[in-house]
């Protein structure tokens, strides 16, 4: 983690051309390594101390990796990660709440102004990159029915605020909901903290915004030449939009 952060900083901020070249070489190696998936995901899940450059690099890394990954019995190319059926489901279960979490941070950022989330990267730009990663996942995930992608996304992000992922509810609780309000201090029957009307509105607005962001980039992703995808799958996903 420390080496990754140093390399990102050197690539984008170092005045030394040799340092930038070395950092770029290391980061290219990183994207081909087995560390890229878990480290990028782990850093984005706990993004409170990431710089904007670090958060964007990790989100873009997930997008690049998902564009390259394949469904095969074994790995045959260093640049192409192999995902099994359970891996695809696990990736979706990870990325969807991650996107919603950045979306709710975007809502709080907009409502309360810049600097309302101390020490964090601007959430809107990170949300865009995570949305692109989800779009790539939807295009390529073999066990995600191409005719159900939009329906499933709408069903996931359209639930009541109280049914939102724990990470999203916890973020609203920790950051105050919207307009500086206290999101509530009463627990639901399931033990989760109950949101105030302001907090619930922030979660609902974030869910809708996240859905729109993903749907906005999905048509371009499914037609992108850079994504490694079977022509039949590409056509089926496009027809299902």
């Amino acid at each position: 983690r420390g080496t990754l952060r140093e390399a990102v900083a050197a690539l984008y901020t170092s005045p030394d051309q040799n340092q930038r070249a070395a950092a770029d070489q290391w980061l290219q190696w990183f994207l081909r390594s087995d560390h890229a998936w878990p480290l990028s995901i782990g850093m984005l899940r706990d993004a409170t101390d990431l710089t904007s450059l670090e958060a964007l690099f990790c989100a873009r890394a997930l997008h690049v990796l998902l564009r390259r990954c394949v469904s095969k019995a074994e790995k045959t190319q260093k640049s192409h990660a192999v995902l099994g059926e359970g891996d695809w489901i696990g990736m979706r279960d990870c990325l969807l709440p991650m996107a919603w979490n950045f979306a709710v941070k975007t809502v709080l950022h907009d409502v309360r102004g810049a600097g309302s989330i101390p020490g964090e990267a601007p959430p809107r730009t990170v949300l865009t990159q995570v949305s692109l990663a989800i779009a790539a996942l939807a295009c390529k995930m073999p066990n995600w029915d191409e005719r159900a992608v939009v329906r499933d996304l709408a069903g996931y992000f359209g639930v009541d605020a109280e049914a939102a992922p724990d990470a999203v509810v916890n973020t609203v609780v920790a950051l105050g909901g919207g307009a500086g309000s206290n999101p509530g201090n009463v627990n639901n029957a399931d033990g989760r903290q109950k949101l105030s009307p302001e907090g619930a509105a922030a979660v609902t607005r974030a869910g809708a915004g996240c859905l729109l962001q993903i749907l906005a980039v999905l048509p371009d992703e499914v037609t992108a030449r850079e994504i490694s995808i079977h022509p039949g799958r590409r056509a089926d996903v496009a027809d299902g939009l």
Side-chain angles (χ1 to χ4, degrees), residues 66 88 92 95 131-142 144-146 149-150 153 214 218 221-222 227 229 233 237 241:
L66 282 164
W88 288 104
R92 182 176 61 184
L95 289 180
S131 298
L132 285 167
I134 292 172
L137 175 76
C139 291
K140 301 189 63 172
M141 182 173 171
W144 194 348
D145 185 350
E146 59 272 6
V149 168
V150 174
L153 289 171
I214 296 170
L218 190 50
E221 189 67 20
V222 76
I227 187 170
I229 183 174
R233 172 75 185 183
V237 173
L241 297 180

Side-chain angles (χ1 to χ4, degrees), residues 208-233:
C210 195
L211 174 62
L212 292 175
Q213 178 72 64
I214 296 170
L215 295 182
V217 299
L218 190 50
D220 288 338
E221 189 67 20
V222 76
T223 58
R225 290 168 40 180
E226 295 83 1
I227 187 170
S228 174
I229 183 174
H230 189 279
R233 172 75 185 183

Side-chain angles (χ1 to χ4, degrees), residues 4-84:
L4 174 59
R5 302 184 76 165
E6 291 173 2
V8 170
L11 179 64
Y12 293 108
T13 64
S14 175
D16 188 303
Q17 183 176 354
N18 292 330
Q19 284 188 354
R20 294 196 304 271
D24 181 63
Q25 184 177 12
W26 188 90
L27 290 170
Q28 292 302 320
W29 168 86
F30 171 79
L31 290 174
R32 295 189 298 270
S33 74
D34 294 334
H35 306 293
W37 290 103
L39 194 52
S40 297
I41 290 171
M43 291 177 72
L44 287 171
R45 276 178 169 168
D46 183 21
T48 54
D49 64 341
L50 293 186
T51 67
S52 58
L53 292 175
E54 292 165 354
L56 284 174
F57 177 84
C58 290
R60 287 172 179 167
L62 292 179
H63 183 212
V64 170
L65 291 167
L66 282 164
R67 278 185 160 188
R68 293 177 180 173
C69 68
V70 295
S71 295
K72 290 183 178 179
E74 60 183 18
K75 186 172 182 177
T76 57
Q77 299 182 46
K78 290 184 178 180
S79 61
H80 290 60
V82 173
L83 297 182

Side-chain angles (χ1 to χ4, degrees), residues 161-162 164 168-170 172-173 182-186 188 192-201 203:
E162 299 295 343
V168 177
V169 173
N170 292 340
V172 176
V173 169
N182 186 340
N185 53 14
V186 179
N188 290 316
R192 296 206 307 175
Q193 196 161 19
K194 187 175 182 179
L195 299 172
S196 71
E198 293 83 1
V203 172

Side-chain angles (χ1 to χ4, degrees), residues 82-131:
V82 173
L83 297 182
E85 181 175 341
D87 298 322
W88 288 104
I89 294 172
M91 186 63 67
R92 182 176 61 184
D93 291 347
C94 170
L95 289 180
L96 293 183
M98 181 185 293
W100 201 342
N101 201 31
F102 279 108
V104 81
K105 291 177 181 179
T106 299
V107 170
L108 297 177
H109 186 273
D110 291 345
V111 170
R112 301 174 67 186
S116 59
I117 307 178
E120 278 209 35
R124 187 182 303 280
T125 53
V126 181
L127 171 61
T128 299
Q129 294 300 319
V130 176
S131 298

